[in-house]
Amino acid sequence: MPDVSPTKWHLAHTTWFFETFILKKFSPGYRSEIPQYAYLFNSYYNAAGDMHRRDLRGLISRPTVGEAQRYRASIDSHIDNLLSGADERLLDEIEPIVVLGIHHEQQHQELLVTDIKHVFAQNPLYPVFRGEARHSVRAEERTATECHPYHFIEFDEEIVEIGYDGRGFAYDNEGPRHRALVPAFRLATRPVTNGEYMAFIEDNGYARPEFWLSLGWMTVNDQRWQAPLYWTKHEGAWWNFTLSGFRPVDESEPVTHLSYFEADAYANWAGARLPTEFEWERAALHCPIEGNFVDDEKFHPRSLATSEKDGRLHQMFGDVWEWTRSAYSPYPGYRAAPGALGEYNGKFMCNQYVLRGGSCATSRSHIRRTYRNFFQPEKRWQFTGIRLARDPQ
Amino acid sequence: MPDVSPTKWHLAHTTWFFETFILKKFSPGYRSEIPQYAYLFNSYYNAAGDMHRRDLRGLISRPTVGEAQRYRASIDSHIDNLLSGADERLLDEIEPIVVLGIHHEQQHQELLVTDIKHVFAQNPLYPVFRGEARHSVRAEERTATECHPYHFIEFDEEIVEIGYDGRGFAYDNEGPRHRALVPAFRLATRPVTNGEYMAFIEDNGYARPEFWLSLGWMTVNDQRWQAPLYWTKHEGAWWNFTLSGFRPVDESEPVTHLSYFEADAYANWAGARLPTEFEWERAALHCPIEGNFVDDEKFHPRSLATSEKDGRLHQMFGDVWEWTRSAYSPYPGYRAAPGALGEYNGKFMCNQYVLRGGSCATSRSHIRRTYRNFFQPEKRWQFTGIRLARDPQ
Amino acid sequence: MPDVSPTKWHLAHTTWFFETFILKKFSPGYRSEIPQYAYLFNSYYNAAGDMHRRDLRGLISRPTVGEAQRYRASIDSHIDNLLSGADERLLDEIEPIVVLGIHHEQQHQELLVTDIKHVFAQNPLYPVFRGEARHSVRAEERTATECHPYHFIEFDEEIVEIGYDGRGFAYDNEGPRHRALVPAFRLATRPVTNGEYMAFIEDNGYARPEFWLSLGWMTVNDQRWQAPLYWTKHEGAWWNFTLSGFRPVDESEPVTHLSYFEADAYANWAGARLPTEFEWERAALHCPIEGNFVDDEKFHPRSLATSEKDGRLHQMFGDVWEWTRSAYSPYPGYRAAPGALGEYNGKFMCNQYVLRGGSCATSRSHIRRTYRNFFQPEKRWQFTGIRLARDPQ
Amino acid sequence: MPDVSPTKWHLAHTTWFFETFILKKFSPGYRSEIPQYAYLFNSYYNAAGDMHRRDLRGLISRPTVGEAQRYRASIDSHIDNLLSGADERLLDEIEPIVVLGIHHEQQHQELLVTDIKHVFAQNPLYPVFRGEARHSVRAEERTATECHPYHFIEFDEEIVEIGYDGRGFAYDNEGPRHRALVPAFRLATRPVTNGEYMAFIEDNGYARPEFWLSLGWMTVNDQRWQAPLYWTKHEGAWWNFTLSGFRPVDESEPVTHLSYFEADAYANWAGARLPTEFEWERAALHCPIEGNFVDDEKFHPRSLATSEKDGRLHQMFGDVWEWTRSAYSPYPGYRAAPGALGEYNGKFMCNQYVLRGGSCATSRSHIRRTYRNFFQPEKRWQFTGIRLARDPQ
C-alpha cells in the first residue's frame, strides 16, 4: 500500500522537518551529518528539494532503526541548543515553526499507528501490537450488546461563523474564519455501529449499485470489497483484525475503516445522507472533546453500549473520524503561505473529502472543533466511520 | 481515450434512450428487433441492465453505420406512432421523458463533436472535419490581434437564490433552488486568451510546482503536458489542431482544451483564482446567452478581439466552458429520482468539478444560467477555458 | 487485443509492402500520393522508418475502407506498369521481392481471417462471417462421432537434413539446411480431438498445477482460462464460436485455439509430450500436403472421424497448426539479411515457439514441410492444436 | 524489484526446505512451532501448499531477523537429531534430499549476494557491503589496463555427449546424458571486457535497432537502458556501483550485469553471436574450474589484464555467468520427478535462456561443466556477461 510508511521512516521524517525548517534556516553553521537524508525523508515538499519515491519507502534497509534513532537524538540536541541560546526575537520567529513541527509530529504518530495496523494485517502471522490475540471466542461473548437506537437532533437554518477563531494553534486550512449560511438539517445522536452496518451487508448492500456513487461502484467491484477493511468472515461470524489481534466484531462499537464510498452508500441505504462539514462544525460547538484518543493507548474506538438515551450528541470527538460529504476545498479568502510550509495543506485540495472529530489514534491535544482532516474517498486504513444526517422533515 | 466514443455509438445510444425509457415502458407489445442492442448501447444505467465496456466501444465493427441508422429510423417511427396515438393522460406521462431524451441527445451531439476532434487529432493523417486545413501561414497573419485587457468587476456579499427557478426544462442537479451566502468577490470581464496563456507557458509555468495542485503536478509530469491539448510547437510557433485542421494559435481567442489543473495553476500564476459556481451563477444573472454555439457550425470559440472595453462581462455563454473551483456536489435537499433515470446525475457527484456557460459545441437551446456541467479535473477534450476571479481588495 | 488489426489495415499494409520495397526502390520518379501512409502502415520494420503504434490500429477511422481500396488499386497499377516496362535485369532484381510480397500477403490473409474471428467473438451480437449461425441443436446431433484412437509411430535415431532444400520459395528462417541428430521418438498418428481435450477439462486439468509450466500456471490464473478460446458452456454443453456462428463442440474435430501452455499441459496430463520441430519435420517428409486450407473456404478444421485406422500420419498439414516444444531460434549459420527485409524473421527469435503444418486459414500454396511459424506461448487466436509425441519405449 | 528477496527471507526459506522435505516427511511426531512459516517461506512449490506473494516479501516486518535465526537454529538441531538417530536405510533415503537442500542453499547464497547488491543500489545512501567506498579517483587510476585481444578457437563438427555423467551431484535438468551433433564453431578465448563494451555504447549501440531482438528493443526503450545495470556516468566517466561502493569502471574486467538482450545485441554489433549451451559445454571439457567465487569473498569478477596470450580458453568458470543463445528446454528423455521436488527445474522451461560457468557470487563447489543456470532474457541483477562465438570461417 503506497500510503503506508515504515515506522522508522515516520521517525526520521518528523526529525527531518525540524532539521529542514528550523536548523537549516536559523542555526548558523549547522551542517547535516548525512545530507542524503534530506532526499530520503522529504515527504512531499517540492520547494524543499527533490524527494524519494513514496512507494519505495518500504524497501530502504538503510538507515537502520538504530541509525534513525541516532539521527533523532542528534537533531533533538541541536534544537535544544538553538532554543536555549536564542534571544527573544529569534524565539518569536522560531516558535510558530516549532509548534507546527509538534503538530506535524502528532499527525505522524497517528499514521504510525494506522500503518503498523495495516502492515500487520498483511502479514500471515497476524502479529499482535498490544494485548492478547484470540483465536476463538465463546458463544456467549458473541451476543451483541444492545445500543440505544440513534435519533436525529434538529438544527434550524442559520448563518454561522466557520473556522479558526484565533485561540491556540490551527492549520492554515481552518481559516479564514467566515460566515456561512447553513440550511436547516438533522444530525444523528451517535455514530453508526458495527451491528447496524452488518444489516447493510446482510441486505446485500455491497452488491446493489443503486446505493453507490459511480466511482464507488467501480471501486467496490475492482477491489472486491464485501465488508469494512479488516473484517473477515470465519465460520459464519465476522471477525475484526485489531492491534490486539483478531476479535469477534463487537456490534456495539462504531463501525470503522470505511471508505467515503461505503459511508455514502450506507447513508443512502439508511434513507439518510452524510453531513456537510459546516453542519458538523456547527453541531459540535458545544460538544465536549472526549472519547478514546491515542493517549489512552486503547487503539480502538469506545463502545456505544454505555451511551445514554439523553438526546444529545455522543462521541463527536475521538473514537472514529467522521466522513462528511464536503469536498476538501479552500475557505473564502484562503491563500497558502509562500515557500515549502505553504505546501502543507493547500495543494491537496482536490479529490479529497473532509473528515471531522479525530479517532482513537489521534492525540487528544491535536483535535479541535474546526479541525479539517482529509482523505481520498477510497481510503480505508484510517479509523474512519459514519454519522448520519438528514434534511429537515 | 476511454472517454471518446464512435459517432455511430452516439447515434445508437441516444436512440436506445428513447427505446428503453419510452417504447419499452409505454408501448404495449413493443419488442426490440435486436435485443442485444440494449447491452451494447447502455452507457451507464445500472438499473437498465448489464452494459458493454466503455473502453471497448471503439472495437465494435457491427452494427455498421448503416445498421445504426436503420435502428434510429425504426425507433423514430415507433415513437411517432406512439405519440400520435396517445391520449392526453399518456402524453402527460411521456412528455417529460421525451424532453429529457432530447436534452440527452443534445449532450451527445456535443460529445460527438469533441470526440471526432479527438479521434482526428490522434490520426497521423490529421483529417479535416470542416473547412480547409492550412499547412503554412504568412508571417503577417501571425501578428497577434490586440485584445483589451480584462479587468475585474466587484460583487458585494449577498444571500442569493441558486438553482433552477422552475421555468422551462432543467436537470435534477440544478435544484432544489436554495439560498446561499456568497461572500464579496471580483470576476474578470472576459475569459483568458491564448496570448495570455502563452505568457504562462513562457514563464515556465508547466515546470514550476508552486502553482499546481499536488494531483495536478503528478498529472503534468505523468502526461508530460507542456501546453493545452491540441497545441504543437512547429518552427518556433504554436499551432492548434482544430476541426478545420491545423491553424496558427490565434492569441485573441479564449484559451481552450485545458484541464482543471491547468486552469487552477494559471490562476495561481496570475495572482487570482477560479470562481465558485455560485459566484458564476450570481454574476451571470443579467448576461445575454450569446456566443458561438454548435448551431453556428463554427466549432471554434469566438475571438475576444472585438469585445469592447465597456466594463461588463463578456462571453459568459458559448465559446468555452468555464471551470469553477466548485467540486460537483448535491444542492441542499437534493435526492436523485428512483430507478434508472435517477442515475443521470447524482451518482457522478464525486471527484468532478463544475463548469458553467457552454461552449461552441453546445446547442444554444441547451444552455441555461443554472446549468451545471461537470468533468474530472484531468479531462481536456471538451472546449474548456478559464475566467479568473479574485477576493475583494 | 493488440495482436489483432482491422481488415482495412491488413489491406493497406500488404499494399505498403509493395510500395516501400518495390516502387520506392525501383520505380524512378515514383512519389507517394499520401506519404503519411508510410507511417500508418509500417508494421515493424525499423529500418523503413517510424511507425504507428500497433495497439492503436483499431482507432484509425481514416483512411476509410474505400480509400484503402483506392490505395491498393493505385499501387497495383504502378506495379503492373513497372513490371511490363522492366528489362530482364531489372526483373531479376525485382522478382524475389515480388515473390516475398506475395507470401507476405498470404500471411496477412491468414491473420485477416483469425482477426475477424476474434473481433466478431468480442461483439455481443456475435456476427456470422460465413454460413448460418445456430442457436440450438437437436439432441441427436450432440452425439459424438466416434474417432479411431490415435497410436504412436516409432522413429529411430537418425542424423537428418533439416531446412529448406533450395526448391521453390522459402523464408530465410528455414535455412541454412543443416544436419541434426534426432534421437529416437514416437509420434501420434493424428491430432488431439475436442472429445479428448474435454476429458482433460473434466479431469480438472485447468486447476491442477502439476501439469503446467510455471508461466502457464500464472497465465491460466490471471486470464481465468477454463477451456480453449471460443468455447462457452451453455446448459451443460460446450459450444464453439466459429466463423459460422455458435455450434456445439464437435468431439471428432481437432481441438484448436489453444496456447502453447495448454498444449503442453494436455501432453503432460496424457503422459506424453509435444514433438520438437525437428521430429516433426523428419516425420512429415513423406506426408501429403492435404487438409482444409483457406482456399477451401471452410474456415474450420476437418473432422477426424473419417480418417482410417491405417497406421500412417494423418492431417499433418492444414486444419490446425501444431505446437512444437522447440523455442524459435536460428539454425546454425543463420544470418538475417541486411536492411529492412532482414527484419522479417530473425529479430523475433526470442520467447516464441515453433508451430508446423498450417491451418484452415493458411493458403495451400503457402505451406511447406520446412515452414516455421512462431507465436508467443500464451497466444490463442490462431488455429493452433496438438499432436502428441513420446520418448521411445 | 519482484525478483529480489530480503536476506532474512533467504535464511528462512532455505530452512523451510529442510523442514518441509526432511523433517515433515521423515521425523515422526515432528510438529512445526509456527505453522504459518510454511506459507510465508514456500517460494514456488505448488505441491507443498499455498504460498505468500513473491512481490510482497519485502513488506513482511515479522518474523524479525532474530526470529528467523531462531527458526534456523531449531530446524538445524532437529536435523542433527534425526541424522544421528537414523539407521542405514533411513540415511539412504534422506541423503539425496539433504544434498539437494545444501545445493539449494548454495543457490540462495548467490541470490542473497545479488539481492543485497540490488537493494543497496536503490538506496540513495549507497551503503557499502564490504570494503571501502570511493567517491573520487585519481586521474592516473582511470587509465585503462591493457588486455590482450581475444581471438577465436576453432572446433570441428562432432557428435558429443552432453549432460551429467553420473559422478557427484547434479540437478535433474542436466540429464539425461545424450548424444548431440554440434556443428563446427569458434569460441572466444575470454569474456568481453568493460572496455570493449564501452566501444559498443560509444558507437550508439543502445540506440540502433538493427542490433537488437524485437523484444530487446522494446525493453531498451521501455526501461531506458543506456549501459549495464549499476553503471552511472559522472563528469564524463563511467562509474560502477559494487558491493564495495562506487568505483570507476575498470576496462580490463569482464563486463557484467547485462541482460540476454544486451549480450545478443553486443554480439551482433561485434559481427559475432552467442554460443549455444552445447558448444559451451563441449569447449569447457578440459577447462579448469578456477576464477573468483563467493568463497573468495571478492564479490567482483577477476580482471582479464593478467590472462596470457596463450591460445586457450580463459575464465570459463567463476567471475561472470555467460549467456548462451540456447532457450532453456528439456534434454531428450527428461521427465521431472513426481511431487514437490519435481517442481525444482522443469516447470521453468519456458521463455528463459541458459547461462553457463558460474560467477563471483557462486560457490566453487556448486559449479560443474554440465551446470545449467537460467534466467529470463531481461534480467540483469545477476553477475552475467558475454563470451562471443562465431560460425566457422
Side-chain angles (χ1 to χ4, degrees), chain B residues 141-391:
Chain B
E141 288 183 280
R142 282 202 191 135
T143 312
T145 324
E146 284 285 311
C147 288
H148 293 294
Y150 60 83
H151 58 272
F152 288 90
I153 298 180
E154 308 227 358
F155 294 82
D156 291 334
E157 179 177 300
E158 196 172 34
I159 289 177
V160 293
E161 296 281 321
I162 293 292
Y164 172 55
D165 63 3
R167 279 175 293 188
F169 173 83
Y171 288 116
D172 66 353
N173 64 4
E174 298 170 51
R177 187 164 177 88
H178 64 285
R179 301 180 340 125
L181 189 159
V182 179
F185 68 101
R186 297 184 289 151
L187 191 68
T189 45
R190 60 162 175 77
V192 170
T193 62
N194 285 329
E196 286 155 359
Y197 197 81
M198 275 181 193
F200 169 67
I201 298 176
E202 280 158 23
D203 196 28
N204 220 11
Y206 279 84
R208 293 168 63 183
E210 64 265 35
F211 302 132
W212 296 81
L213 286 162
S214 178
L215 208 52
W217 185 240
M218 275 187 242
T219 307
V220 161
N221 286 288
D222 280 359
Q223 304 291 323
R224 306 182 188 196
W225 289 345
Q226 311 224 18
L229 183 62
Y230 302 134
W231 285 28
T232 312
K233 204 154 201 172
H234 184 62
E235 295 180 2
W238 285 110
W239 287 72
N240 199 0
F241 182 73
T242 74
L243 282 161
S244 314
F246 274 107
R247 293 182 184 182
V249 168
D250 181 334
E251 297 191 14
S252 70
E253 287 176 2
V255 63
T256 188
H257 294 298
L258 294 177
S259 65
Y260 174 77
F261 296 132
E262 289 161 296
D264 178 76
Y266 178 86
N268 284 329
W269 173 83
R273 60 169 173 84
L274 300 178
T276 67
E277 62 165 328
F278 291 175
E279 290 168 346
W280 194 97
E281 185 168 329
R282 178 191 173 191
L285 193 58
H286 301 296
C287 294
I289 296 186
E290 62 187 22
N292 272 2
F293 293 97
V294 76
D295 319 68
D296 303 306
E297 300 193 24
K298 304 288 186 199
F299 308 110
H300 205 77
R302 273 184 310 171
S303 168
L304 288 154
T306 56
S307 60
E308 293 161 55
K309 194 188 168 180
D310 58 3
R312 62 176 184 87
L313 297 169
H314 288 270
Q315 301 199 8
M316 289 284 277
F317 292 96
D319 302 314
V320 295
W321 286 103
E322 300 183 3
W323 283 109
T324 75
R325 82 184 319 175
S326 298
Y328 179 46
S329 62
Y331 285 171
Y334 172 80
R335 296 294 282 179
L341 287 174
E343 297 182 51
Y344 207 99
N345 277 309
K347 74 179 184 182
F348 299 109
M349 291 176 172
C350 182
N351 290 7
Q352 308 215 34
Y353 281 83
V354 174
L355 303 105
R356 295 292 195 120
S359 81
C360 57
T362 311
S363 295
R364 180 173 278 110
S365 64
H366 189 68
I367 201 68
R368 286 173 295 284
R369 283 175 187 82
T370 61
Y371 193 98
R372 306 174 80 198
N373 198 0
F374 49 91
F375 282 101
Q376 289 87 356
E378 72 278 12
K379 293 295 154 63
R380 317 210 292 173
W381 96 113
Q382 296 300 303
F383 286 92
T384 45
I386 311 172
R387 181 183 301 266
L388 296 177
R390 278 198 175 136
D391 294 322

Side-chain angles (χ1 to χ4, degrees), chain C residues 36-181:
Chain C
Q36 297 95 317
Y37 282 4
Y39 174 84
L40 266 182
F41 299 123
N42 180 357
S43 53
Y44 57 68
Y45 299 83
N46 289 303
D50 287 343
M51 67 202 76
H52 189 240
R53 271 175 54 193
R54 180 174 199 168
D55 56 336
L56 301 181
R57 282 177 195 163
L59 305 179
I60 291 302
S61 56
R62 300 286 179 283
T64 60
V65 173
E67 286 163 347
Q69 285 167 335
R70 277 195 290 284
Y71 175 45
R72 174 58 172 233
S74 157
I75 298 300
D76 276 356
S77 136
H78 275 98
I79 293 277
D80 281 353
N81 291 343
L82 175 66
L83 292 181
S84 40
D87 60 18
E88 203 66 17
R89 206 174 122 196
L90 182 57
L91 280 180
D92 281 356
E93 220 176 338
I94 295 177
E95 190 205 356
I97 311 177
V98 172
V99 171
L100 181 62
I102 290 167
H103 285 270
H104 173 255
E105 185 150 329
Q106 287 182 319
Q107 289 182 296
H108 280 277
Q109 282 171 356
E110 175 157 359
L111 292 171
L112 193 150
V113 170
T114 55
D115 291 5
I116 288 173
K117 184 169 181 178
H118 195 269
V119 166
F120 278 12
Q122 309 312 308
N123 190 321
L125 303 178
Y126 299 118
V128 169
F129 175 69
R130 190 65 61 90
E132 211 175 318
R134 301 165 62 178
H135 298 294
S136 66
V137 68
R138 291 186 304 276
E140 62 271 29
E141 289 183 278
R142 281 201 193 140
T143 312
T145 323
E146 284 285 311
C147 288
H148 294 292
Y150 61 83
H151 58 273
F152 287 91
I153 297 181
E154 308 227 356
F155 293 81
D156 291 333
E157 178 176 302
E158 198 173 31
I159 291 179
V160 294
E161 297 280 321
I162 293 292
Y164 172 56
D165 64 3
R167 279 175 292 188
F169 172 82
Y171 288 116
D172 66 353
N173 64 3
E174 298 170 50
R177 189 164 174 89
H178 65 285
R179 299 180 343 124
L181 191 159

Side-chain angles (χ1 to χ4, degrees), chain A residues 106-390:
Chain A
Q106 287 182 318
Q107 290 183 295
H108 280 277
Q109 282 170 356
E110 174 155 2
L111 291 171
L112 193 150
V113 170
T114 55
D115 291 4
I116 288 173
K117 184 168 182 178
H118 195 268
V119 166
F120 278 12
Q122 310 311 306
N123 190 323
L125 303 178
Y126 298 119
V128 167
F129 175 69
R130 188 66 61 91
E132 210 175 317
R134 301 165 61 174
H135 298 293
S136 66
V137 69
R138 290 187 304 276
E140 63 270 29
E141 288 185 278
R142 282 202 190 135
T143 312
T145 324
E146 285 284 311
C147 288
H148 294 293
Y150 60 84
H151 58 272
F152 288 92
I153 298 181
E154 309 227 356
F155 293 83
D156 291 332
E157 179 176 299
E158 197 173 33
I159 289 177
V160 293
E161 296 281 321
I162 293 292
Y164 172 55
D165 65 3
R167 281 175 292 189
F169 173 83
Y171 288 117
D172 65 353
N173 64 4
E174 298 170 51
R177 189 164 174 91
H178 64 285
R179 304 183 333 128
L181 189 160
V182 178
F185 69 101
R186 297 184 290 152
L187 190 66
T189 45
R190 59 162 174 78
V192 170
T193 63
N194 285 330
E196 287 154 357
Y197 197 81
M198 275 182 195
F200 169 67
I201 298 177
E202 280 158 23
D203 196 28
N204 220 11
Y206 279 84
R208 293 169 62 184
E210 63 265 36
F211 302 131
W212 296 81
L213 286 162
S214 177
L215 208 53
W217 185 240
M218 275 186 243
T219 308
V220 160
N221 286 288
D222 281 0
Q223 304 292 323
R224 306 183 191 194
W225 289 345
Q226 311 224 16
L229 182 63
Y230 303 134
W231 285 28
T232 312
K233 204 155 202 172
H234 185 62
E235 294 180 1
W238 285 109
W239 287 72
N240 199 359
F241 182 73
T242 74
L243 283 160
S244 313
F246 274 107
R247 292 185 186 181
V249 168
D250 180 333
E251 298 192 14
S252 69
E253 287 175 3
V255 63
T256 188
H257 294 298
L258 294 177
S259 65
Y260 174 78
F261 297 131
E262 289 160 297
D264 178 76
Y266 178 86
N268 285 328
W269 173 83
R273 61 169 173 85
L274 301 178
T276 67
E277 63 166 328
F278 291 176
E279 289 168 347
W280 193 100
E281 185 167 329
R282 179 191 173 192
L285 194 57
H286 301 296
C287 294
I289 298 186
E290 61 186 25
N292 272 3
F293 293 98
V294 78
D295 318 68
D296 305 304
E297 301 194 25
K298 304 288 187 200
F299 309 111
H300 205 77
R302 272 184 309 170
S303 167
L304 289 153
T306 57
S307 61
E308 295 158 56
K309 192 187 168 181
D310 57 3
R312 61 175 185 87
L313 298 169
H314 288 270
Q315 300 199 9
M316 290 284 278
F317 292 96
D319 304 311
V320 296
W321 286 103
E322 300 182 3
W323 283 110
T324 75
R325 79 185 317 176
S326 299
Y328 179 47
S329 61
Y331 286 170
Y334 172 80
R335 297 295 280 178
L341 286 175
E343 297 183 50
Y344 206 99
N345 276 310
K347 74 178 183 183
F348 299 109
M349 291 175 174
C350 183
N351 291 7
Q352 309 215 35
Y353 281 82
V354 174
L355 302 105
R356 294 294 195 118
S359 82
C360 58
T362 312
S363 295
R364 181 172 277 112
S365 64
H366 189 68
I367 201 66
R368 286 174 296 284
R369 284 175 188 83
T370 60
Y371 193 99
R372 307 173 79 198
N373 199 358
F374 49 91
F375 282 103
Q376 288 88 358
E378 73 278 11
K379 292 295 154 62
R380 316 208 294 171
W381 95 114
Q382 296 300 303
F383 287 91
T384 46
I386 310 173
R387 182 183 301 267
L388 297 177
R390 278 200 176 136

